[in-house]
Amino acid sequence: MDTIFALATAQGRAGVAVVRVSGPDARLAVERMTGALPDHGRSLRPVRGPDGSLIDNALILTFEKGRSFTGEQVAELHLHGSTAIVAVVLRFLGEIPGLRQAEAGEFTRRALENGCLDLAQVEGLADLIDAETEAQRQQAVRVFSGALGDLAERWRAALIRSAALIEATIDFADEDVPVDVSPEVSALLTAVRVEMAQEAEGVRIAERIREGFEVAIVGPPNVGKSTLLNRLAGRDAAITSEFAGTTRDIIEVRMVLDGLPVTVLDTAGLRQADDQVEQIGIERGTARSLAADLRIHMIDPGGHPTLEEKEGDIVVQSKVDIGASDGVGISGLTGQGVDGLVSRISTTLRERTARVGVAMRERHRMAMLGAIRDIDAAIRMMPNAVEQADVLAENLRSAIRSVDSLVGRVDVEDILGEIFSSFCIGK
Amino acid sequence: MKHREQDVIVIGGGHAGCEAAHAAARTGVRVALVTLDQKGIGAMSCNPAIGGLGKGHLVREIDALDGVMGRVADYAGIQFRLLNRKKGPAVQGPRAQADRARYRHAMQKEIYNCPGLEIVLGEAVDLNIVDGRVCGIVMADGSKLHSKAVVLTTGTFLRGVIHIGDASHPGGRMGERPSVRMAERLDGFGLPLSRLKTGTPPRLDGRSIDWSGLEMQPGDDDPTLFSFRSTTPMARQISCGITHTNDKTHEIIRQNLGRSAMYGGHIEGVGPRYCPSIEDKVVRFADKMSHQVFLEPEGLNDHTIYPNGISTSLPRDVQEDYVRSISGLENAIILQPGYAIEYDFVDPRALTPALALRDVPGLFLAGQINGTTGYEEAAAQGLVAGLNAARLSQELEPVHFSRTTSYIGVMIDDLVTKGVSEPYRMFTSRAEFRLSLRADNADQRLTSLGRDLGLVHDTRWELFSTKAEALELARLRLGRYSFSARELAGQGININPDKERRTGLEALSLSDSTFDQIASLAPELADISTDIREQLKRDALYATYVERQNRDIASLRKDEADVIPSDFVYSGIPGLSTELQLKLNRTRPATLGHAARIDGMTPSALLLISARLKRKQVARPA
């Protein structure tokens, strides 16, 4: 087993740079530069080069095997963040026999291998590192801290219990086991299904948090959509001109609105265009707008939304710098009412994020939907639980496998163990 | 005594030994069956019953491969019951109470009359090893038998110790001596040995039982037999009695726990998670007021009753007390006390999926010696070991049974991959493809394979071929019909009349549809026989599930196709934990699929192994 090392913090100048070493020779390797170190603790040490010259004074953290991120022996040098210092230290480490540069993600892989993290936590960690917004961070922390694993454990336990009860009626039909296990099984299955459905719905929202919500600005030509977009984005992303028909296609600007990652779409003004290119642009824009999470319908004074209004959509009258409005009015030019609009957008989207659960990825959602399908099939069979015990059991097994794919593994032995601890089997 | 040169020697005449010897002989090689006692061939050590849930499936599979257990059980069967009759066919298990004497008689007849099979009386005390290969055995009288392969099926005889209360004596079975020297030889190989325990209840004199107040359980009116070749029971049918333990029984047992061999600490062997002994039941499920006891007659001309459910290792006097506290047994006479037996077994992870010992070429192990419990489990292993020993002697590749196609495969895969921590007993829940591996389709799954391997002889083959053709033809005919949902609903089938049309096969797959209903719509099909109708219905019922399972099976087969070379080095794969390395080295999985089933295997570890495998494959010169 190699001992690996790498710069753990971002490249470039910074106050602190952390170099992490993980593996059986981690401490010994670092001691070559620092002198004796404790098995598990923190020390302040001079860091010396091969010729004995001083490189830096650094905080050294040592972790003993089993009590570190990777599960192996780990030593970390918290150096002053100069690229020169970091370079020297990495070169020194690279020349020690038995040590090598870590590959991308290798520390995490070792953590996974040593059972310090489960698969979902690894994904959560990746997302945590990628998190750009507060909502993304909160989400990632929830997953990284193992919340998904805990949830999956609970579901698994309930499903195994259900499976065990059904299996007991199958494999021990000629022994003293209760024949009617339906009430307990039905109760367990219903409870799991309800929770899972909630979580699955939450995933869609969570995906949005990771990828960003889509908000489309729609309305007739020249109503001020591009102006609004520019104001929201704080720069001239869209081309604004006074003439109708400027925005040909769809302009997307990724931004952070009130802590939420949002992609705002500026679409071509909706009208019957003579220009074929413009017409295509309009059709594309319409399709994309309808698929977005939220639409802002901009109207002229006295006008009406030209696109279908969906639940949560916001209608605003534009150009109130020129004329007043009796509804929500904004001016992209002066900024009047824009803060209020942003606030409304963020409230609407946040309400949806409140329903976010713990699972974050599409694969989690697919696994849960699969499990729900199987559980529904099982619930439908409960009135015939005796006659259809075999296919009922099969559906339960399939559901368990899906839940399983969220984090871990389940074995027939678990089901048998559950049976034997509950029933006295011994013919 | 001079014996001829053999191809295969089978040591032990129990359930595993008989199937092993018979199977090897069927493939055409010369076989010797070595046993301590001729009368012991076909003996049932414990419960005089064959089959059950999971176990019944194994018997059907043995029969599908032309093995003997099914036929013999049918001849000896005095009460047949199909368990789970009201549930779906996938979980139905045939079971029979057997007349001990008839069973023994029939088995001995099969063995004596088997062409190519010779019986050798005596004790095999050692293996003859030359250049690291087993090439025969050494008998107690010093004579040597030569062969190319040896199958060891010593059951509970290896350092067997019998316990009754605090009295113990060496024994393989009550009244028979254990094999100590062979155990020492196995020790010498450095094989991982552990101890297990199993128990048996006292035998009672049926004439001293008051049957008048007891519930009786008759066999099925329409008995389901084991063998695909059997048609009706051949012995007189009887009923079993049912009684229960009570407070008084439990009190007696509780007061004397310290005198029980198991609870008194005299036995080190591990027992199963379930409760084989009445002591276990009383201790583990203290608030259960009574436990069922099945009073099973051991034979038509035998007064002995086997009380199923009260296995024990309590001293004789306590056994008398607690037996007499049971309703109906107030004056029961104990003919033979119950006892516990402790014995050595070999960790089956030392075996290949062919049941060959990896470290000792030419030696195969089968039966209870591998940590299983039950006649059926032993017999199925015997068949596999005998088959592969025969093939080894002919320098043919071994045959591995897959868990995707048989319970035999499930059992062997469980044994050699996971090992055992308690006596291994088959349950249907062990098979993840239970819906495809049904007792009714064992012949469809295995008989052709058996024919290719030389196991299935003409009588069975002709019977099967006729049935297979009829089934295929009927399927085709049924498939040509198409019915509207309305027509089907009109027959009383539970289906939305507005839905789409169904073919005949699809219609049959609806859970409450019957062949008769469909035949009403298509009178031309009325000539299809009852047997075929029933089989078609069963197959159709599970068709969608089988399809779904086939996807899982395909991915399992893919993993099973990823062969790991026998010299694959696990140490030195970066990222592979020491613990997993140890397990991998001990089990030496043959395929990636096999590796995936090792306890504690993680997805990332599998990825690492797979990546290394691919690298090796690429590096191999063209």
Side-chain angles (χ1 to χ4, degrees):
Chain A
M1 175 78 77
D2 288 340
T3 297
I4 53 179
F5 67 90
L7 178 64
T9 44
Q11 304 271 16
R13 232 179 60 163
V16 173
V18 175
V19 172
R20 175 189 281 158
V21 189
S22 175
D25 297 327
R27 208 187 62 245
L28 278 171
V30 174
E31 280 177 345
R32 287 196 195 205
M33 293 189 274
T34 63
L37 292 167
D39 284 347
H40 189 90
R42 59 188 190 279
S43 335
L44 193 59
R45 293 273 187 278
V47 178
R48 297 187 184 281
D51 57 352
S53 61
L54 183 68
I55 301 174
D56 193 9
N57 273 308
L59 177 65
I60 316 286
L61 299 183
T62 41
F63 303 84
E64 61 185 7
K65 186 169 156 179
R67 297 171 66 189
S68 70
F69 173 70
T70 57
E72 306 173 315
Q73 190 189 92
V74 169
E76 287 182 4
L77 299 107
H78 292 227
L79 307 155
H80 288 94
S82 118
T83 41
I85 291 176
V86 168
V88 170
V89 169
L90 291 178
R91 192 163 56 239
F92 190 126
L93 288 171
E95 279 158 15
I96 299 178
L99 257 66
R100 62 171 173 81
Q101 183 90 23
E103 288 162 9
E106 200 171 355
F107 291 110
T108 309
R109 202 172 78 192
R110 289 192 175 191
L112 178 65
E113 236 296 293
N114 292 326
C116 300
L117 295 175
D118 63 41
L119 215 49
Q121 285 174 307
V122 167
E123 289 164 324
L125 180 59
D127 292 334
L128 189 59
I129 292 171
D130 285 340
E132 290 171 14
T133 70
E134 181 58 18
Q136 285 173 336
R137 185 196 68 80
Q138 284 174 346
Q139 182 65 318
V141 164
R142 260 203 290 264
V143 179
F144 178 56
S145 66
L148 181 58
D150 295 338
L151 206 57
E153 264 316 305
R154 269 216 324 272
W155 292 336
R156 192 188 183 257
L159 289 171
I160 285 184
R161 176 78 189 158
S162 303
L165 290 169
I166 300 293
E167 296 288 359
T169 67
I170 290 174
D171 273 325
F172 304 104
D174 57 343
E175 306 224 24
D176 242 343
V177 296
V179 175
D180 193 11
V181 294
S182 308
E184 191 179 345
V185 173
S186 293
L188 285 166
L189 292 182
T190 314
V192 170
R193 196 231 183 268
V194 164
E195 256 189 45
M196 239 187 231
Q198 279 167 0
E199 285 300 322
E201 178 53 34
V203 172
R204 204 200 310 270
I205 313 282
E207 280 276 325
R208 281 297 184 238
I209 291 185
R210 282 181 61 240
E211 313 282 300
F213 288 93
E214 281 206 344
V215 176
I217 307 175
V218 299
N222 216 25
V223 71
K225 300 186 293 300
S226 304
T227 313
L228 175 59
L229 177 64
N230 285 337
R231 175 148 287 263
L232 289 174
R235 53 196 159 102
D236 282 320
I239 302 168
T240 55
S241 84
E242 286 161 31
F243 300 104
T246 313
T247 308
R248 290 282 180 184
D249 218 315
I250 304 161
I251 295 179
E252 305 178 21
V253 181
R254 239 183 105 87
M255 60 185 81
V256 179
L257 277 186
D258 214 12
L260 288 176
V262 175
T263 300
V264 182
L265 310 175
D266 177 18
T267 59
L270 299 164
R271 69 162 185 183
Q272 275 301 110
D274 302 321
D275 184 319
Q276 198 171 40
V277 175
E278 192 189 344
Q279 190 55 38
I280 293 172
I282 289 169
E283 281 159 22
R284 268 207 212 114
T286 307
R288 190 73 186 276
S289 302
L290 288 171
D293 296 296
L294 194 62
R295 281 139 297 276
I296 301 171
H297 301 261
M298 292 187 74
I299 52 176
D300 291 313
H304 297 284
T306 35
L307 198 64
E308 176 198 336
E309 255 184 272
K310 294 199 193 174
E311 195 202 319
D313 283 0
I314 303 170
V315 180
V316 288
Q317 195 200 297
S318 152
K319 297 179 190 168
V320 290
D321 50 305
I322 306 176
S325 109
D326 32 42
V328 176
I330 60 162
S331 167
L333 215 50
T334 64
Q336 181 185 342
V338 173
D339 283 344
L341 176 61
V342 168
S343 180
R344 252 188 85 170
I345 293 172
S346 116
T347 309
T348 310
L349 294 177
R350 268 195 194 287
E351 259 159 44
R352 299 187 195 172
T353 73
R355 282 186 274 130
V356 159
V358 169
M360 278 177 64
R361 294 183 173 233
E362 188 58 16
R363 81 168 183 95
H364 297 160
R365 197 173 80 94
M366 294 315 295
M368 284 188 278
L369 288 180
I372 288 172
R373 237 188 344 258
D374 291 324
I375 293 175
D376 279 341
I379 291 176
R380 268 199 305 275
M381 287 181 204
M382 284 312 293
N384 285 337
V386 171
E387 296 84 9
Q388 295 196 280
D390 48 2
V391 287
L392 183 51
E394 178 59 29
N395 280 311
L396 290 179
R397 292 235 198 162
S398 184
I400 292 174
R401 271 202 297 274
S402 296
V403 167
D404 205 38
S405 70
L406 288 173
V407 236
R409 256 161 44 115
V410 78
D411 222 310
V412 148
E413 296 300 330
D414 291 344
I415 296 179
L416 289 176
E418 179 71 27
I419 294 178
F420 294 140
S421 68
S422 311
F423 303 120
C424 194
I425 309 291
K427 206 172 99 156
Chain B
M1 195 196 301
K2 189 87 171 70
H3 293 277
R4 54 164 196 189
E5 177 88 15
Q6 308 290 348
D7 294 310
V8 173
I9 294 175
V10 176
I11 303 175
H15 302 280
C18 289
E19 292 294 345
H22 203 275
R26 287 201 304 281
T27 64
V29 304
R30 293 163 305 179
V31 187
L33 176 64
V34 178
T35 178
L36 289 167
D37 170 13
Q38 189 147 349
K39 292 195 305 297
I41 293 177
M44 296 166 108
S45 317
C46 197
N47 191 358
I50 298 280
L53 294 155
K55 288 168 181 267
H57 291 72
L58 286 171
V59 179
R60 276 278 164 86
E61 289 179 4
I62 291 169
D63 183 76
L65 294 165
D66 227 357
V68 287
M69 183 172 255
R71 291 205 290 275
V72 171
D74 284 341
Y75 176 79
I78 56 180
Q79 190 220 38
F80 289 87
R81 288 181 65 231
L82 181 65
L83 301 179
N84 280 340
R85 193 172 259 273
K86 290 200 196 69
K87 303 192 185 117
V91 296
Q92 287 173 353
R95 186 182 186 278
Q97 289 295 129
D99 178 312
R100 268 195 213 282
R102 282 176 75 98
Y103 192 92
R104 211 165 43 227
H105 174 80
M107 185 60 83
Q108 285 174 8
K109 199 164 144 206
E110 289 283 350
I111 298 297
Y112 297 161
N113 294 339
C114 182
L117 209 180
E118 187 189 324
I119 297 179
V120 174
L121 285 177
E123 185 184 357
V125 296
D126 207 353
L127 299 166
N128 202 359
I129 315 247
V130 172
D131 290 338
R133 290 197 67 85
V134 169
C135 59
I137 63 170
V138 181
M139 304 291 287
D141 65 2
S143 60
K144 292 193 182 163
L145 267 64
H146 297 285
S147 73
K148 303 197 186 99
V150 172
V151 183
L152 195 57
T153 72
T154 50
T156 56
F157 282 73
L158 282 186
R159 291 212 199 89
V161 177
I162 291 182
H163 296 265
I164 304 178
D166 56 2
S168 65
H169 61 271
R173 190 182 310 152
M174 189 59 86
E176 304 182 42
R177 56 191 172 90
S179 301
V180 177
R181 290 167 69 174
M182 188 58 81
E184 285 165 0
R185 167 52 98 172
L186 289 179
D187 275 346
F189 288 137
L191 292 175
L193 293 178
S194 294
R195 272 173 105 58
L196 284 178
K197 78 164 183 87
T198 189
T200 191
R203 308 296 202 271
L204 308 175
D205 187 334
R207 294 168 294 192
S208 62
I209 295 177
D210 179 6
W211 301 88
S212 59
L214 302 178
E215 188 193 331
M216 295 307 284
Q217 186 188 66
D220 291 340
D221 290 326
D222 180 18
T224 306
L225 273 63
F226 289 109
S227 176
F228 289 97
R229 285 173 57 174
S230 301
T231 45
T232 75
M234 289 154 255
R236 177 166 61 86
Q237 302 293 293
I238 53 98
S239 297
C240 292
I242 305 178
T243 179
H244 297 84
T245 61
N246 51 52
D247 281 354
K248 211 164 136 235
T249 328
H250 298 177
E251 194 46 40
I252 295 169
I253 291 165
R254 255 180 240 123
Q255 280 172 2
N256 288 283
L257 277 177
R259 298 177 65 194
S260 141
M262 184 64 177
Y263 284 84
H266 304 291
I267 296 186
E268 332 152 5
V270 177
R273 269 174 292 186
Y274 44 99
C275 325
S277 73
I278 189 66
E279 296 98 284
D280 284 324
K281 295 186 189 189
V282 162
V283 168
R284 302 240 300 254
F285 290 88
D287 20 296
K288 216 161 170 300
M289 296 283 83
S290 78
H291 296 275
Q292 262 184 340
V293 182
F294 288 82
L295 301 172
E296 299 169 352
E298 293 207 347
L300 296 171
N301 303 313
D302 190 344
H303 297 291
T304 315
I305 297 292
Y306 181 97
N308 199 337
I310 52 169
S311 285
T312 182
S313 60
L314 284 164
R316 180 166 191 143
D317 58 301
V318 180
Q319 290 187 37
E320 268 170 17
D321 284 343
Y322 85 68
V323 165
R324 298 221 173 126
S325 73
I326 298 172
S327 158
L329 307 180
E330 292 83 355
N331 297 309
I333 296 170
I334 295 182
L335 296 172
Q336 185 191 290
Y339 59 89
I341 178 168
E342 245 193 312
Y343 55 96
D344 279 350
F345 78 99
V346 175
D347 183 342
R349 285 174 294 186
L351 301 169
T352 68
L355 295 182
L357 263 175
R358 207 174 287 117
D359 296 337
V360 187
L363 185 59
F364 293 78
L365 301 183
Q368 218 144 338
I369 190 178
N370 290 334
T372 61
T373 177
Y375 314 140
E376 304 84 351
E377 288 83 348
Q381 288 174 67
L383 191 151
V384 173
L387 168 69
N388 283 315
R391 291 177 72 84
L392 182 67
S393 75
Q394 297 167 305
E395 287 171 29
L396 294 169
E397 285 296 301
V399 176
H400 294 173
F401 286 79
S402 164
R403 61 186 310 129
T404 61
T405 44
S406 65
Y407 273 86
I408 297 176
V410 170
M411 176 175 65
I412 294 182
D413 187 52
D414 283 347
L415 292 175
V416 308
T417 312
K418 300 184 195 156
V420 298
S421 55
E422 61 175 8
Y424 182 96
R425 181 184 146 177
M426 183 50 77
F427 303 111
T428 64
S429 52
R430 291 197 189 273
E432 60 269 55
F433 304 114
R434 177 168 53 192
L435 298 185
S436 313
L437 310 183
R438 307 191 304 273
D440 61 82
N441 67 8
D443 56 348
Q444 290 185 60
R445 290 184 278 119
L446 295 171
T447 302
S448 280
L449 171 69
R451 184 68 171 174
D452 291 339
L453 296 175
L455 285 172
V456 170
H457 285 193
D458 292 340
T459 316
R460 175 176 302 271
W461 183 244
E462 271 152 31
L463 200 67
F464 174 71
S465 302
T466 313
K467 174 180 170 183
E469 270 170 36
L471 202 52
E472 192 47 38
L473 186 62
R475 230 175 250 139
L476 278 170
R477 289 172 64 190
L478 195 57
R480 281 197 214 110
Y481 282 88
S482 154
F483 305 106
S484 72
R486 204 165 292 277
E487 283 179 287
L488 295 170
Q491 286 295 317
I493 298 172
N494 185 8
I495 179 177
N496 183 342
D498 299 323
K499 289 273 181 167
E500 68 279 4
R501 296 184 73 86
R502 308 293 171 98
T503 66
L505 283 172
E506 287 166 348
L508 202 56
S509 73
L510 299 166
S511 58
D512 66 331
S513 72
T514 66
F515 196 97
D516 290 341
Q517 287 167 323
I518 293 170
S520 310
L521 292 170
E524 194 248 329
L525 297 171
D527 65 338
I528 294 179
S529 75
T530 318
D531 287 347
I532 300 291
R533 291 187 185 203
E534 280 168 8
Q535 193 57 49
L536 280 175
K537 173 66 188 173
R538 283 185 215 118
D539 288 342
L541 202 54
Y542 296 105
T544 25
Y545 288 94
V546 167
E547 237 179 77
R548 216 164 71 168
Q549 290 201 329
N550 281 340
R551 268 177 264 138
D552 290 333
I553 291 175
S555 67
L556 198 90
R557 289 231 180 97
K558 212 162 58 90
D559 285 343
E560 282 182 8
D562 270 326
V563 171
I564 302 179
S566 51
D567 58 349
F568 191 79
V569 170
Y570 292 104
S571 52
I573 297 183
L576 198 56
S577 77
T578 326
E579 191 200 335
L580 277 175
Q581 270 179 43
L582 266 162
K583 287 187 176 165
L584 285 159
N585 279 323
R586 187 168 38 196
T587 311
R588 296 223 65 85
T591 66
L592 206 59
H594 194 177
R597 292 189 286 281
I598 291 176
D599 180 43
M601 183 58 62
T602 63
S604 33
L606 271 179
L607 278 164
L608 295 172
I609 299 172
S610 165
R612 177 56 70 91
L613 264 176
K614 287 198 179 45
R615 234 180 291 162
K616 285 192 81 178
Q617 283 164 1
V618 169
R620 195 157 292 151

